Amino acid sequence: MPLSSLKPKMRPHSSLKQEFLKKWIMGLQRCSFSKKNMSILERKKAIKFSADIAMASARNGTTCWSRSLISNASKEGSDIHVVEQILGSESDRPAVENKVPTRRASVCKKIVKRSCRIRRRRRRRKCVASAPSSIAKHLVRKRREVLKSLIPGGEFMNEICLIEETLDYITSLRVQVDVMRSLASASVRASE
Amino acid sequence: MNRALPEMLQSSDMTVLERQRARLKWQAEQFQQQNYFSELSGVFSSQTGHVQGFQQGCLMSRGGARGDSVLSDMAMTRQLKHEPGLETAWQGLGKVDMEFAPCGYGSGPSFDMNHAISRTSSCPPAVAAAAAVGSKAVKGNSLKMGSTVGRVSFKKRKVEKSQNTEVVAEDESKRIKASEEERESKITGSSTHRNSTDKKENSGDTSKLDYIHVRARRGQATDSHSLAERVRREKISERMKYLQDLVPGCNKITGKAGMLDEIINYVQSLQRQVEFLSMKLATVNPSLDFNIENLYVKEVLPSCTTNFPPVGMAPEMENHSPYLQFNPIQQVVSGCGMEMGTNSCDMALRRTISAPVSIPEASFLDTSCFTDMQQIQPSAAWDVELQNLYNVEFPGSIEASGLKMEMEMEM
């Protein structure tokens, strides 16, 4: 995904927020419609879930993490109707389906990479790194793995994609937090 | 590491491309016509620190971060590589070399500007041929990060074809791979068979096209893989810079590991905020009906008065006073609906980034876990984003200024 398209996205926050809120409320209505008298934890889960899906759908399948999030959500059948509601049109479905082949391909790639890495590591066992560069690489690698675990669908990305996705994911999370917070405080104030 | 080359090819970096073009234009403007060949011979025979100086001058070295230098270098080389259409630009670039070298830019490796980086520039065979100039001067030496970053990064570059040997001879740590005969033949031949592909694998082909020569570090592979890896590294560092702007508090950190750490912390904190806020929303609403009135209230631009009572309440306000002026503006500007009035007290206290929890709802939580995660910093990123928001939503600015003044008065 070209980086230049990322930068402008950071700007029109309000439109993104509006969209996110709309979709989120839609999903929540669907949730509350289906189940009554949910426990607090269920509610929290529903809220978070619909928020995540709404956030991901706001990207319209352009980013990897959003597609991965949606496909993960679509997998567990219980809340799929919420996903459908939020996603709405059929346009998002192809994006979800496309994820699978990419995943397979990237998994294969990952396996190949891993085997190469293992082979290389075995070779280099003797001259193991006391060299500062390799220590640095090791550190970076560790952190990269942690980041991969954080970003949805991150395990299948190469490094460049990972950083791009992180960028996008961070902006989306920020929007999500902003909207949720404003809604929360508005609700609190309204209930007072 | 071997990255799939097609992958790299498909990744389109528009910004990089634009930057390349801009840079080329700049360079082309800067330097006028010269007779390449005469200069060439003259230049290269006398090169020592000139080349290195050229390096520095040419590369717009930024803050000394390794990524920056790499990036700028890479940008240059990438110009050479990517665009078959950059023929003239390539020539311009070639001129750069000529120009700078005689200027006597640097005097040996003692620059504390940015590292003299030795490069062997790479370019697609076509471009190289087209230039017919031994233009890509050999770049000096091993780079070293002078004071700024203490990390040694050795870069390999492909020498286009030039009489690198003389220059290289001065280089301590690099070994040239290029073959001189080929270069000379190219220079004399000045054939312009353009290779339309700008694939990197061709650049590694030193077989018959031989316009591209890779100079690599001792013991490293001098093939397309290393080049590809270098390009990849450049891309990564470029994206890390974007992340640096996005994540607050990353401006001071220059190492990749440190920055990744910050990024990880930030993402984790944001995720935790989402969890926490969803929990809060769950408690506030016994049923999941977020009534539309709430939304409606938020949509409408609120009066300023609603801001003040909460503002007066919190003692923590003082800490944030420098930001208070900004925050209301930002909120007003960006909210137009989202964070206005009713919520601006929360937002006004802290930026979203800095603290996840609003004060009035202190009953709800254990915010300490959040606050120590994020320091409140007057990072430039905020101002930039603020500016962006401000620019985007101009109508809100009037209220913003009014609000700001009232807030200040209140304080």
Side-chain angles (χ1 to χ4, degrees), chain A residues 7 11 14 26 28-29 46 53 72 84 91 110 163 175:
Chain A
K7 277 286 182 184
R11 292 233 187 144
S14 57
M26 221 165 36
L28 283 174
Q29 283 168 353
I53 303 295
N72 280 340
E84 285 166 8
S91 58
K110 234 185 83 177
I163 299 185
V175 165

Side-chain angles (χ1 to χ4, degrees), chain A:
Chain A
M1 182 167 120
L3 252 187
S4 56
S5 67
L6 281 179
K7 277 286 182 184
K9 269 183 196 153
M10 299 180 198
R11 292 233 187 144
H13 256 185
S14 57
S15 63
L16 193 61
K17 284 174 183 165
Q18 302 271 357
E19 198 183 333
F20 166 66
L21 185 68
K22 229 181 352 172
K23 294 194 162 166
W24 185 28
I25 297 294
M26 221 165 36
L28 283 174
Q29 283 168 353
R30 192 76 161 86
C31 275
S32 61
F33 180 72
S34 55
K35 312 177 196 172
K36 309 285 183 186
N37 297 333
M38 290 189 271
S39 74
I40 187 170
L41 281 177
E42 277 179 359
R43 289 206 299 270
K44 174 227 170 192
K45 263 183 65 177
I47 289 171
K48 177 165 189 299
F49 181 75
S50 35
D52 286 341
I53 303 295
M55 201 64 244
S57 73
R59 285 284 177 234
N60 284 332
T62 49
T63 55
C64 193
W65 67 266
S66 61
R67 292 199 296 263
S68 152
L69 199 60
I70 289 175
S71 64
N72 280 340
S74 312
K75 277 193 198 148
E76 55 167 287
S78 59
D79 296 312
I80 194 157
H81 53 277
V82 179
V83 181
E84 285 166 8
Q85 164 109 16
I86 294 180
L87 287 181
S89 65
E90 294 307 308
S91 58
D92 284 327
R93 294 305 173 77
V96 175
E97 284 148 18
N98 285 344
K99 186 73 179 84
V100 178
T102 0
R103 225 183 223 171
R104 241 181 267 134
S106 38
V107 168
C108 294
K109 213 192 301 173
K110 234 185 83 177
I111 292 172
V112 169
K113 263 195 226 168
R114 202 184 286 153
S115 59
C116 291
R117 212 186 315 148
I118 291 174
R119 224 181 298 135
R120 235 181 293 143
R121 218 178 279 152
R122 285 207 198 108
R123 245 183 282 137
R124 290 200 207 132
R125 258 317 149 192
K126 321 154 192 159
C127 49
V128 98
S130 52
S133 60
S134 39
I135 290 178
K137 277 193 201 151
H138 180 65
L139 286 176
V140 170
R141 207 181 314 141
K142 275 213 158 142
R143 282 160 177 76
R144 207 179 305 149
E145 282 163 22
V146 174
L147 192 58
K148 279 187 176 173
S149 66
L150 281 182
I151 311 283
E155 307 89 36
F156 307 107
M157 300 178 205
N158 56 38
E159 192 169 333
I160 294 180
C161 273
L162 184 66
I163 299 185
E164 283 180 11
E165 297 289 324
T166 312
L167 271 171
D168 197 63
Y169 189 58
I170 286 178
T171 47
S172 311
L173 276 178
R174 265 205 220 163
V175 165
Q176 207 173 351
V177 165
D178 279 348
V179 172
M180 289 176 91
R181 186 181 306 173
S182 54
L183 189 57
S185 39
S187 311
V188 163
R189 209 155 295 110
S191 63
E192 285 166 2

Side-chain angles (χ1 to χ4, degrees), chain B residues 8-297:
Chain B
M8 265 184 319
L9 299 170
Q10 284 156 20
S11 66
S12 55
D13 305 277
M14 282 316 296
T15 52
V16 169
L17 219 50
E18 287 159 11
R19 198 172 349 108
Q20 292 167 11
R21 294 216 173 102
R23 191 169 293 190
L24 282 171
K25 274 192 215 131
W26 168 78
Q27 286 165 350
E29 286 160 13
Q30 303 251 342
F31 306 104
Q32 302 310 319
Q33 313 299 331
Q34 280 189 11
N35 187 341
Y36 299 116
F37 295 109
S38 58
E39 282 290 359
L40 184 67
S41 43
V43 156
F44 286 113
S45 54
S46 62
Q47 303 248 359
T48 44
H50 290 310
V51 171
Q52 294 165 350
F54 157 66
Q55 284 292 343
Q56 297 208 339
C58 196
L59 307 173
M60 299 190 270
S61 45
R62 301 173 226 167
R66 165 178 178 269
D68 290 336
S69 61
V70 168
L71 191 53
S72 48
D73 272 339
M74 212 41 228
M76 254 214 327
T77 59
R78 259 200 276 202
Q79 303 157 2
L80 318 179
K81 267 186 290 193
H82 282 225
E83 296 292 300
L86 285 179
E87 179 178 14
T88 50
W90 181 235
Q91 288 172 351
L93 200 57
K95 293 179 218 164
V96 170
D97 296 341
M98 304 321 152
E99 277 273 353
F100 265 138
C103 288
Y105 235 71
S107 60
S110 58
F111 329 101
D112 45 351
M113 266 183 62
N114 276 5
H115 13 285
I117 300 170
S118 67
R119 299 268 176 135
T120 60
S121 52
S122 66
C123 58
V127 176
V133 181
S135 44
K136 232 7 184 171
V138 174
K139 318 298 183 134
N141 275 11
S142 51
L143 67 311
K144 212 347 180 34
M145 285 354 120
S147 42
T148 51
V149 176
R151 213 198 294 184
V152 176
S153 55
F154 292 92
K155 310 180 184 13
K156 325 164 266 198
R157 270 233 227 137
K158 298 185 231 176
V159 177
E160 188 196 350
K161 51 194 191 164
S162 36
Q163 289 128 16
N164 299 328
T165 40
E166 293 101 11
V167 188
V168 174
E170 344 276 343
D171 289 343
E172 303 80 64
S173 62
K174 303 280 184 169
R175 214 179 12 179
I176 315 175
K177 193 195 177 190
S179 56
E180 189 134 6
E181 315 74 52
E182 294 153 348
R183 276 189 240 116
E184 285 178 356
S185 66
K186 259 171 277 157
I187 291 172
T188 55
S190 77
S191 53
T192 49
H193 36 276
R194 269 196 167 233
N195 190 353
S196 57
T197 62
D198 53 356
K199 293 195 190 314
K200 297 183 189 62
E201 51 247 13
N202 286 346
S203 56
D205 270 345
T206 54
S207 54
K208 31 181 241 172
L209 297 176
D210 267 331
Y211 291 107
I212 292 121
H213 304 281
V214 183
R215 175 182 304 163
R217 247 193 93 203
R218 208 174 182 72
Q220 273 190 1
T222 59
D223 57 359
S224 60
H225 295 298
S226 339
L227 298 169
E229 186 181 335
R230 184 150 39 108
V231 168
R232 177 186 148 269
R233 254 185 282 142
E234 295 288 342
K235 281 190 197 161
I236 287 173
S237 49
E238 178 194 348
R239 279 143 178 80
M240 296 288 273
K241 293 184 64 50
Y242 282 124
L243 273 175
Q244 221 172 11
D245 296 333
L246 197 58
V247 176
C250 258
N251 304 328
K252 305 148 193 147
I253 302 176
T254 48
K256 206 154 129 183
M259 270 192 48
L260 280 176
D261 244 354
E262 287 294 321
I263 292 164
I264 287 171
N265 285 340
Y266 190 55
V267 170
Q268 278 173 342
S269 75
L270 283 175
Q271 284 175 340
R272 263 176 264 172
Q273 281 182 45
V274 169
E275 294 264 346
F276 165 74
L277 281 168
S278 61
M279 184 57 137
K280 182 161 138 187
L281 277 169
T283 59
V284 160
N285 268 355
S287 61
L288 288 180
D289 53 351
F290 298 94
N291 49 357
I292 310 300
E293 288 150 31
N294 260 349
L295 306 179
Y296 184 75
V297 163

